[in-house]
Amino acid sequence: MKIVPKKGILLIKKHKNTQLKADIAVDETDNDKSLLTGEVIAANETIYSVGDTVIFGKYSLFGLVLQGEKYYFLDVNDVIGACNYIEK
């Protein structure tokens, strides 16, 4: 299956090596300002392309479970930075 995000939205794979208390389960009183990294798996952008690693806050992610697979969407404006980290 191919998911094509609209312009300005990145489809990412969240890196597994994170230190979240729960997987994107954030309550209103959570003061954790930790950042996450993820790999772009689909983009309709010129700034970030497939395979890039982006850095973002956990509050920026929108999760989707489709046929047992987890997908995460991220607005390109919520990207804080990029790096050359590749999860192995």
Side-chain angles (χ1 to χ4, degrees):
M1 175 178 48
K2 183 176 182 179
I3 298 175
V4 180
K6 73 176 194 171
K7 189 166 180 63
I9 302 292
L10 302 173
L11 180 64
I12 65 161
K13 173 175 62 175
K14 184 175 63 67
H15 288 153
K16 294 179 179 122
N17 189 15
T18 61
Q19 296 182 1
L20 290 178
K21 292 179 234 163
D23 190 22
I24 312 306
V26 181
D27 60 43
E28 294 177 15
T29 60
D30 191 352
N31 291 320
D32 184 4
K33 303 296 184 200
S34 297
L35 298 175
L36 304 175
T37 58
E39 180 183 338
V40 177
I41 56 176
N44 191 359
E45 281 297 318
T46 55
I47 301 171
Y48 305 105
S49 57
V50 174
D52 287 350
T53 294
V54 291
I55 303 166
F56 50 88
K58 67 181 180 177
Y59 296 97
S60 304
L61 282 182
F62 293 91
L64 170 69
V65 177
L66 185 61
Q67 295 181 341
E69 294 288 325
K70 289 184 181 179
Y71 298 95
Y72 296 98
F73 293 88
L74 176 67
D75 190 298
V76 72
N77 294 320
D78 290 330
V79 174
I80 294 172
C83 65
N84 61 357
Y85 172 76
I86 298 174
E87 187 174 58
K88 296 178 182 171

